[in-house]
Amino acid sequence: MEGITTSALIELAAVAIGAGIGGGILAGLLGVGGGIVIVPALYFALTLAGMDPELTMKVAVGTSLATIVFTSLASGLGHHRRGAIDTGLLRLWAPWILAGVIAGSLLGGYVSGNVLIAVFATVALVVSADMILRKGRADPEPKGFSRPVWAFFGVFTGTVSAMMGIGGGTIGVPLLNFLGYDIRRAVGTSAAIGFIIGLPGALIYAATGLGQDGLPPFSIGYVNLLAAAVIIPLTTTFSQLGVKLAHSIPRRALRLAFGGFLLLTSIRMFIDLFSG
């Protein structure tokens, strides 16, 4: 691709290494799939490499979703071994999350990026305040809802996650915790949800980007194989460290960690929104 030099590709690989390590730890610890780290890291690297601004976010999102497929498998397996995945909830939620992912992946190109940033930053801020300030119950009990309500939650989680290139944890963990699920089971279940989001999302971004001019080398549509090849082994490896941390630190500390993480994410997004 014209404008992308060999040195720029090396810099992209270096950024991908850092994103892979950080994203992997966060995936296991918080069930977030790592995309919340990977997307901005790739966006920044591709921008510095001289890539067309109209394509940078799409490549960052598509590549992030591809890495989440493998990260969520590794992270979800680790949580499953510790009994922290609610398989009944997965069966109930999976079809609706999938519907949301398809809608979010297809609609992503038609919705203003500023609108997405504003909505997500606001939601993240509210959720972080809830996670930090509200005291969790000693013996949480999941609340019962009708299937239409769970369908709405699933479509919402899948749509927003696919449009942002993130796993289901950023939305799913605080949502499930608010609905009465233990924070560790919320993290474990959300880690598994990442696979349902990542696979169809990556395939759609790859298909819609086929034949697009100006993509970096080693790309299939909006999925860059070079960055993915660097990130995937690191995220899958370091996700296991995150899983161990999630099951070894106190429940309250885990809530505070996730709340702080979302607060920083919200601040970063608001800065991007108002500086653009």
Side-chain angles (χ1 to χ4, degrees):
M1 166 188 159
E2 184 179 354
I4 295 282
T5 64
T6 301
S7 62
L9 287 175
I10 294 175
E11 291 175 2
L12 173 60
V15 171
I17 290 174
I21 294 173
I25 293 175
L26 283 175
L29 177 62
L30 304 176
V32 296
I36 202 70
V37 174
I38 294 169
V39 169
L42 292 180
Y43 179 84
F44 180 69
L46 290 169
T47 299
L48 289 181
M51 187 175 171
D52 183 350
E54 293 296 321
L55 301 177
T56 49
M57 192 62 180
K58 291 184 179 180
V59 173
V61 169
T63 304
S64 174
L65 289 170
T67 68
I68 287 171
V69 173
F70 299 90
T71 308
S72 61
L73 282 175
S75 177
L77 181 60
H79 285 290
H80 177 68
R81 289 170 178 164
R82 296 170 184 265
I85 293 181
D86 190 322
T87 54
L89 176 59
L90 277 180
R91 288 193 294 269
L92 174 65
W93 239 13
W96 303 110
I97 289 176
L98 179 59
V101 170
I102 294 173
S105 299
L106 293 175
L107 291 174
Y110 299 99
V111 178
S112 168
N114 286 338
V115 171
L116 284 177
I117 292 173
V119 170
F120 189 84
T122 302
V123 172
L125 183 62
V126 172
V127 171
S128 68
D130 174 73
M131 296 291 283
I132 293 172
L133 300 177
R134 182 170 58 88
K135 294 183 178 180
R137 297 173 54 184
D139 297 307
E141 297 179 2
K143 297 178 175 66
F145 292 101
S146 64
R147 285 186 175 272
V149 175
W150 279 112
F152 170 78
F153 289 149
V155 170
F156 174 79
T157 299
T159 300
V160 174
S161 297
M163 296 178 82
M164 303 301 291
I166 58 178
T170 304
I171 304 294
V173 168
L175 175 61
L176 291 178
N177 192 238
F178 177 76
L179 296 178
Y181 284 81
D182 175 80
I183 184 63
R184 292 191 180 93
R185 291 184 69 81
V187 167
T189 304
S190 293
I193 287 172
F195 179 79
I196 303 172
I197 293 171
L199 182 58
L203 290 175
I204 291 174
Y205 274 92
T208 55
L210 289 176
Q212 175 67 53
D213 293 330
L215 294 173
F218 313 110
S219 292
I220 298 180
Y222 295 126
V223 176
N224 183 253
L225 300 182
L226 172 62
V230 173
I231 292 172
I232 289 170
L234 294 170
T235 54
T236 53
T237 300
F238 281 90
S239 67
Q240 300 310 303
L241 173 59
V243 170
K244 291 181 180 178
L245 291 174
H247 289 269
S248 62
I249 63 178
R251 181 183 300 159
R252 176 60 177 165
L254 189 55
R255 286 176 56 86
L256 290 175
F258 194 85
F261 162 74
L262 282 182
L263 178 60
L264 292 176
T265 300
S266 175
I267 292 172
R268 179 187 62 80
M269 286 188 171
F270 275 123
I271 291 175
D272 290 345
L273 181 64
F274 291 113
S275 63

